Amino acid sequence: MKGLMICFALLLIVAGCYPGANEGGLLSRSQVLKLNPDADLIELEEGTVYTHGAEWIKEKGYQKGERLGAVKKGMATKAPVGADIYTTEENSPVIIVEYNGLSKMYLIAIGE
């Protein structure tokens, strides 16, 4: 019985140590970068973080909506200062960023 309890305790410890553990809900910039130091992210002024790279977003065919503003210094890891940020016409957890003829979709960063 004692051995079973020790195994159970070790299992709980190991399960709590995987990347993303206990990071449910919206992720912060530091949490995203902890999980992926090379993340392509944008943090809006109110603190919401969006990441680029989810392939399924392209299949949804989201359309550019209202302009939210432009990327400012320190807001993004890859997008340049001045890039335009848009909502989507659809009610979605996605923003669209445009610069240098590129249009990239970023998904809101949510943990497990």
Side-chain angles (χ1 to χ4, degrees):
M1 182 69 171
K2 184 178 180 182
L4 182 61
M5 290 186 68
I6 291 173
C7 287
F8 183 70
L10 288 174
L11 179 63
L12 287 176
I13 291 169
V14 171
C17 294
Y18 69 91
N22 301 318
E23 294 181 352
L26 297 178
L27 297 179
S28 68
R29 179 186 190 106
S30 63
Q31 288 171 314
V32 170
L33 292 173
K34 179 180 173 187
L35 295 170
N36 179 6
D38 195 39
D40 182 357
L41 66 82
I42 292 182
E43 181 178 14
L44 298 183
E45 291 178 348
E46 81 277 356
T48 306
V49 177
Y50 293 81
T51 60
H52 175 71
E55 292 298 319
W56 63 265
I57 294 175
K58 294 177 187 175
E59 298 170 9
K60 294 290 185 179
Y62 291 121
Q63 299 298 310
K64 182 172 66 174
E66 180 181 328
R67 185 174 185 273
L68 292 174
V71 173
K72 296 178 183 169
K73 186 176 180 180
M75 284 178 72
T77 56
K78 309 269 184 196
V81 170
D84 292 313
I85 305 169
Y86 298 90
T87 62
T88 60
E89 285 184 358
E90 304 78 11
N91 185 14
S92 73
V94 173
I95 59 171
I96 298 172
V97 178
E98 293 185 339
Y99 62 94
N100 297 333
L102 296 173
S103 182
K104 294 172 72 174
M105 293 186 203
Y106 289 74
L107 176 66
I108 195 165
I110 299 178
E112 300 173 357

